[in-house]
Amino acid sequence: MKHNNQKKMKHRVFWIAMFMIYIYLLTKLILFKGSPVDFGIVKVRLMAFLQQPDLIHTRTVNLTPFREISRDWNSLSLHRPGTAIHLVGNILAFIPLGIFIPVLTGNKLFSGVKVLLLSLLLSLGYEVTQLLTGMGIFDVDDLMLNTLGGLIGYIILTMAIGLKKLLVGGESRVTAKKLNSKESHV
């Protein structure tokens, strides 16, 4: 029993470490555009915004749903592959989050709802940070694509768990053994 608890603890520590690395890399990608992470820059830019709130009017903002998605989709039809990075990248970046949330919370009840909400909230946090610091563009389409990515990650995890149960036998095999043992005792 003690060995089993240690194994579970190591497994949990591994997943937490992987999640922290993921959040670091996601922050590096979204806020710092791949440059070295320097939270001092974020602080300086936030302080500048707090001293001059009118800076908000200088920021680029997209509040029209599907505007950038439509623009990128049209560019793809013109064989401009660079725009695929924006569309696909926003989805791919959040797929791991849809896997991490159910694994780390362990509670399968309402996991899909948790993934939806936490993907949206994390994306909103990045978008608001970009708006306030000017380190990017606030884009409602990014919110939608990021949230979709989280949900896709959750679906992939759910399908993988279902496939494992199907291949290994999972609960159905245990249930069958219980039924067989009850029948043999009768």
Side-chain angles (χ1 to χ4, degrees):
M1 180 93 169
K2 188 176 181 181
H3 175 69
N4 195 24
N5 286 340
Q6 287 176 334
K7 187 176 177 183
K8 282 183 181 180
M9 183 58 98
K10 286 181 182 178
H11 187 258
R12 183 148 182 81
V13 168
F14 169 78
W15 278 100
I16 290 170
M18 294 303 293
F19 179 70
M20 292 171 65
I21 291 168
Y22 164 71
I23 292 296
Y24 171 82
L25 293 173
L26 192 62
T27 301
K28 181 176 177 139
L29 176 72
I30 293 174
L31 291 182
F32 297 95
K33 312 301 183 229
S35 297
V37 174
D38 182 358
F39 289 108
I41 293 171
V42 176
K43 181 181 175 186
V44 166
R45 289 180 173 235
L46 281 174
M47 296 308 288
F49 170 76
L50 290 173
Q51 291 171 354
Q52 295 177 302
D54 286 347
L55 286 175
I56 200 82
H57 299 294
T58 66
R59 310 287 197 238
T60 304
V61 177
N62 173 32
L63 297 176
T64 306
F66 300 104
R67 176 186 286 164
E68 292 301 315
I69 293 171
S70 175
R71 184 176 298 157
D72 288 346
W73 191 258
N74 289 333
S75 292
L76 276 176
S77 66
L78 298 173
H79 305 291
R80 295 183 187 148
T83 56
I85 293 170
H86 180 255
L87 283 173
V88 177
N90 275 303
I91 295 170
L92 290 177
F94 274 68
I95 287 176
L97 186 65
I99 295 168
F100 279 119
I101 292 169
V103 168
L104 291 174
T105 61
N107 183 357
K108 302 299 182 233
L109 188 63
F110 301 116
S111 286
V113 174
K114 281 189 233 174
V115 169
L116 174 82
L117 290 174
L118 293 175
S119 296
L120 177 64
L121 288 173
L122 181 61
S123 180
L124 183 61
Y126 284 123
E127 294 299 318
V128 168
T129 301
Q130 290 180 94
L131 175 67
L132 296 178
T133 62
M135 296 175 71
I137 297 169
F138 183 97
D139 189 350
V140 70
D141 289 349
D142 288 352
L143 288 172
M144 294 186 307
L145 293 170
N146 295 160
T147 304
L148 176 63
L151 289 174
I152 290 171
Y154 174 72
I155 291 167
I156 290 169
L157 177 67
T158 304
M159 289 173 59
I161 290 169
L163 185 61
K164 179 183 175 194
K165 283 182 181 179
L166 185 67
L167 295 174
V168 175
E171 294 171 5
S172 60
R173 183 175 284 176
V174 171
T175 306
K177 284 182 183 178
K178 285 181 184 178
L179 286 175
N180 288 337
S181 68
K182 284 181 183 179
E183 288 173 0
S184 65
H185 286 46
V186 176

